[in-house]
Amino acid sequence: MKTWHEIRRFPLAVRLLLVNQFGVNTGFYLLVPYLATHLTENLGLSAVVVGVVLGVRNLSQQGLFLIGGSASDRLGARGVIIAGCALRTVGFALFALGDDLAVLLAASVLSGFAGALFNPAVRAYLAQEAEERRAEAFALFHVFATAGALVGPLLGSALLLVDFRASALAAAGIFAVLTVAQALVLPAREVAPSRGTVLADWREVLGNRAFRAFSLAMVGMFTLENQLYLLLPDGARRATGWDGAAGLVLVLGTLAGLAFQLRITRALGRRGDRARWIAVGLGLMALAFLPPVLVTGTGTGGGPDGTADAVLRVLPVLAGALLLHLGVMVAQPFVMELIPGFGRPELTGTYFGIFYVVSGVAAALGNAVVGRAMDAGRHGDAAWLPWACCALFGLASALGVARLRRLGSLPAPPEPAAPTTAGEAREDRGAVERREGQKVQEVQGGTPA
């Protein structure tokens, strides 16, 4: 209940962007997880062609984040967000209506490029609109995104009982509603005039050594966060012998985020610098991959012996998932808060764009390494191997951020917010009145009591 109360205290634009992210993730996960099955089973495409279609979508998004970030800086985040949602509406509708390979490739390009547009633009707009409450805004942003990632597959599973086209049209409809809502409600903001060329902007951002080092240090966070959809669900399924156990990993994170995300971010924001908590969060994410080894990394290969045994075996996996979610809740809002501080406000979108290019490449390479470790572990009686790889990824990132903190390479967070409660406001007015009284006494030759 407190979380919903805090949401109302943000400006209308921030509240709309939170709802927007819930809708974005709901629409995305309603369609994309089931796309490969549709292409192979319904359309009869070969695995190679399916790989090309999915790869084109991913490349169009991850490879073009830089374009979306620069467009946000130069054209204004609002217009880029609206354009991105509109393009994804068209792209998802094409998946529903087209069976020809050319149409499918066009749908992949449009839906991927749409994500490249609105992802950095939304974050840039949110960072600018939330100002000194940036970390709290990104904390809520993560909660809404996680909730959408949970609701989307559930809704998609239900719509697949009709057929894939119903699921795709529903996803397109969600993005159409988001497009209209943002066009009607999202306020326009004045765009600062550009100083030079787009290439000059890119060179400026890429030439920022501190930002480059920070982006590389965060590779572990994105690699490990992706294991919520790869390694941990696989571990839950193997521990219980039940495919539905994979969903528990996301349900647990959604409930934890709703209950604790904002409280964690606020409490930590008042205690120490952001870099320390980012390193702590990454350390928790590394530790998250140790408990599941107790049941999934033993190499025994046997399934559970009844329901009670399945529950006991899945508990270490869920403990690991909870630790991973906790680590993300600790680190991610402060990561998002720091990124705009590396450079000029006029380049906020570009900084987010380049950061997400790095994160996209990291997630792809990290998933490839973890997937290879999973295969090697199963064939070589070393089921612990992928879990150990993930723990090392997280530890390396935590040490990298800790080193940057010691070197003083990371920017300071925004100035603290003004008092927001009646008690704080009264206290602040009292302090102002005392200072004014002191000034009067000094003018009159007196001294404070």
Side-chain angles (χ1 to χ4, degrees), residues 363-375:
L365 294 178
N367 274 347
V369 171
V370 173
R372 182 65 181 268
M374 291 170 69
D375 290 338

Side-chain angles (χ1 to χ4, degrees), residues 394-420:
L395 180 61
S397 283
L399 292 175
V401 172
R403 177 172 173 76
L404 291 174
R405 176 177 178 260
R406 286 196 303 271
L407 294 174
S409 301
L410 302 179
E415 292 297 322
T420 54

